[in-house]
Amino acid sequence: MKLVFLIAGDSIRALLHHRLLIALMLVSLIMTIFFSVIMRQTRANITTQFSVEVTETNSPGLPKMSEDDRKKMNEAMEQGESAIQGFFYAASSFGGSLVALFIFSTAVTSEIRRGTIRLTLSKPVSRLQYLLGKYLGGVAVMAAYAVIASLAIYLFSESSHVELSPVMKYAPWLMFCRQLMLGSLAMLLSLFMHPAVGCVIAFVSGNGLYSTGNPLYYLLPSYAPFNVFILILRGDVLKGSDVFLLTVYAVDFVVLMLLLAWGRFRTKEVC
Amino acid sequence: MAAIYTENLGKSYVRFFGGQPETNALKGLNLEVKEGETFGFLGPNGAGKTTTILLLLGLNRPTSGTARLFDQPVGDFRVHRRLGYLPESVNLHDYYTGRGLLEFYAALLSLPVSIRKTRVEELLHLLGLEDAANKSVSKYSKGMLQRLGFAQAMLHDPDLLILDEPTASLDPVGRKEFRDILLELKRRGKTIFISSHILSELETVCDRVAILEKGELKRVGSLQELSTGKSTRMVLRNVPGVVLEALSRTPAEVTMLNGQITVKCVDLAMREMIDELLRQRGIQPEQSAVETQSLENIFLSAIGTPPKL
C-alpha cells in the first residue's frame, strides 16, 4: 500500500505542476463566482422589487397585501433562492466534471506519452499498484475540489443570507461521487482510445443518454441520480439512506471500472 | 544461474488500420547473459535492441518465446528489485529537483529511510550533480539528465544494470567517467547489459557482445572469439622459386617485399591448404599469426557492411 501512496503523491505533485489543469480549475472557479454573482444580483433585484411592492401595498389609502399574496411572495423568494443554489451547484459540478475528466483520462496516458512510465515500472512496482496510485492521486485532487466547493457554498450562503436547501448539504458529496465515477470511466476508456475521445464518451454516456425510454440507459452508467440540480430547484428533501445507496452505487461502479482498467493495463504495452 | 535468458523471443507489430504489413522487430532471439558478465548489445538503428530491452523489462509483451531475469519470468515485477534500468531517451519527472527525484525513486525501491539519504548524496557526488541537486529537473541539460538517469538506476546497487545507449548525451569527459564507473561495477561482480553504438566504449568494458541486425542475432561471443578472425598471416623467407610459384597458384594472397613473402589466408580451409603445401616442401613459416579484428570491423562485417581497411 505504501507504494500506492507514493505513486498517488507523485501524481498529485504532477497535477499541481500541470498548467492546463490549473487553468481549468481557475476557469471552473471563475465560472462558479460568475454564476454566484449573477444569481446574487438577481436575488437582490427580486427582493428589491418585492420590497417596493410591499411598501406600495402597505401605503396608507391602498388596500393591504392579502395573506395569499404574501404566501406567493414568500414562495417566489424561496424559488429564487433555490435557483441561486441550483445554478451555483450546477456551475461547480460542471467545472468539477471537466477537471475530473482531464485528471483521470491523462493520469496514465500522459506518462506513457512522455515515457516517464518506463522508469517507474522498471522499479518493483506492480501495474495494479501503479494504476491504483494514479487513481488515488486523482481522488485526492477531486476531494480538495469538493472541499473548496463546499466551502464556497457555505460562504456564499452566509454572505447572501440564503437558507441552504436541504439537499445542499449532500450536494458536494454526491458531486464528488459523480466525478469519481466519471473519472474511473474516463481512465478506463483512455487505456483503449485517445483520452479526448474517452472523455467525450465518458461524459455523454452518463448524461446525454439518460432517459428510461432509451435502452442504452440500462447498459450505460448513469450519473443522473447524483445530479441534485432539479431537487435543489424543487426544494425536495434527500434522505440519508438515498445518499448511502448512491454512495454504494458509486463505489461499485468505480471498483468495476478499476477492475476493467486493470484488466486492460496489465497487458497493455506501455512503450 | 543466468542473469538474462531468452528463448525464441520475438516481437511483431501489426497495424490494424492503414494496411501496413506486419513488422518483425525481433525474430526468435536466443540469448544468455551470465551473472557477473558485462555484455554488449550491438546493432544499427532499428535492429531491435530497444525492443529487446523493453521485453526484458516487461514493459512490452513478446509475440513469441520467453524471457527470464535471474530465473524469474520478466512479468514478475519483484525481480525488478535486482535490476537497474537506464532508458535510451531519459524522460524524467521534471517537477522534482534532482535530489527530490532520486529520493522518490529510492522510496519506490523501498530503500530504508536511514540509508536513503546517504545513498542519494553518494550518487549525486559520484555523478557530479551535487551543485545541481536542488535545481528543477526541467532545467537540466541532456548530459545532466543522462547522469541523473544513471544515478536512479544505481540507487539500490542492483545486481543487473540494463543500460540503453547510456553515453549518447555525454561529452568525452562524461564518457570517460562513465566507463570508469562501469569498470568499478564490473570489478564488483555486477551484471551489466549495455546497448550502445559507441563501439570503442564496449570494447573496453565488455566480456561478450551480441550483434543484432533487423531483429536477428548475427553473432554472439567473447571479444576474443569474435575478433579472432579466420584469416591468418604467415611470413616466409628464403622460399625457392618453385614453392613461390605453387603458392601463387593457390587462392591465398601472396605478396613479396624485400625478399620477405607474406601469405594471407582468409579462411581455415585455405590455411590448411597452405600448411600442407609448406609441409610437403619442408618449409617452416618464420611467423604465423591469426589476424584480429577491431569490434568495429566485426560489427560491420556482421551486418553486411564492408569492414574498414
Side-chain angles (χ1 to χ4, degrees), chain A residues 74-216:
Chain A
N74 283 339
E75 273 173 16
M77 289 281 282
E78 276 171 17
Q79 276 176 5
E81 282 177 2
S82 298
I84 293 167
Q85 292 173 48
F87 280 107
F88 188 92
Y89 162 80
S92 56
S93 173
F94 181 70
S97 298
L98 291 184
V99 172
L101 285 171
F102 177 82
I103 287 176
F104 290 103
S105 67
T106 57
V108 177
T109 51
S110 66
E111 292 241 0
I112 295 177
R113 186 174 43 79
R114 283 185 295 157
T116 45
I117 197 169
R118 290 183 187 195
L119 284 183
T120 312
L121 290 183
S122 73
K123 304 283 177 282
V125 176
S126 74
R127 292 200 178 199
L128 179 62
Q129 286 169 328
Y130 182 82
L131 192 74
L132 284 179
K134 284 284 161 193
Y135 188 75
L136 214 59
V139 171
V141 175
M142 290 321 298
Y145 185 89
V147 168
I148 293 169
S150 310
L151 277 175
I153 289 170
Y154 174 74
L155 291 175
F156 171 65
S157 69
E158 282 294 301
S159 64
S160 314
H161 307 292
V162 172
E163 198 187 329
L164 283 180
S165 147
V167 179
M168 274 309 263
K169 66 175 173 181
Y170 296 119
W173 173 250
L174 292 176
M175 183 174 81
F176 176 61
C177 290
R178 177 179 185 270
Q179 283 156 4
L180 295 192
M181 289 168 66
L182 193 63
S184 61
L185 180 60
M187 187 184 244
L188 168 67
L189 294 175
S190 73
L191 298 173
F192 287 95
M193 57 190 77
H194 192 283
V197 179
C199 282
V200 173
I201 295 177
F203 191 75
V204 169
S205 66
N207 287 293
L209 300 174
Y210 179 70
S211 148
T212 48
N214 186 343
L216 286 173

Side-chain angles (χ1 to χ4, degrees), chain B residues 238-264:
Chain B
N238 307 320
V239 179
V242 61
V243 178
L244 193 60
E245 202 177 316
L247 281 172
S248 63
R249 278 200 298 271
T250 67
E253 192 185 308
V254 182
T255 49
M256 195 165 80
L257 188 70
N258 301 332
Q260 177 184 294
I261 294 159
T262 309
V263 183
K264 189 180 172 188

Side-chain angles (χ1 to χ4, degrees), chain A residues 231-245:
Chain A
L231 298 183
I232 295 171
L233 286 187
R234 284 195 206 140
D236 286 352
V237 179
L238 195 62
K239 287 187 280 181
S241 57
D242 292 338
V243 176
F244 176 74
L245 282 177

Side-chain angles (χ1 to χ4, degrees), chain B residues 21-39:
Chain B
E22 188 180 75
T23 310
N24 288 319
L26 195 62
K27 299 169 194 165
L29 179 71
N30 293 307
L31 204 65
E32 187 174 347
V33 178
K34 294 180 195 84
E35 275 193 76
E37 207 174 14
T38 303
F39 194 90

Side-chain angles (χ1 to χ4, degrees), chain B residues 114-127:
Chain B
S114 53
I115 64 162
R116 200 179 292 171
K117 236 177 170 55
T118 327
R119 184 69 184 146
V120 167
E121 294 309 320
E122 248 175 45
L123 287 169
L124 285 170
H125 174 72
L126 182 70
L127 290 153

Side-chain angles (χ1 to χ4, degrees), chain A residues 3 6-7 10 13-14 17 111 114 116 118-127 266-267 269-271, chain B residues 11 13 54 58-61 77 80-81 85 87 91-93 95-96 104-105 107-110 152:
Chain A
L3 292 180
L6 273 170
I7 304 279
D10 171 63
R13 192 185 268 259
H17 280 77
E111 292 241 0
R114 283 185 295 157
T116 45
R118 290 183 187 195
L119 284 183
T120 312
L121 290 183
S122 73
K123 304 283 177 282
V125 176
S126 74
R127 292 200 178 199
R266 65 200 289 261
T267 56
E269 306 219 317
V270 293
C271 298
Chain B
K11 178 71 185 168
Y13 294 101
L54 296 178
L59 296 173
N60 281 356
R61 304 185 77 77
F77 69 92
H80 291 182
R81 282 185 214 289
Y85 165 58
N91 296 309
L92 301 168
H93 297 232
Y95 39 84
Y96 284 96
F104 167 63
Y105 283 128
L108 279 185
L109 288 159
S110 304
Q152 67 75 34

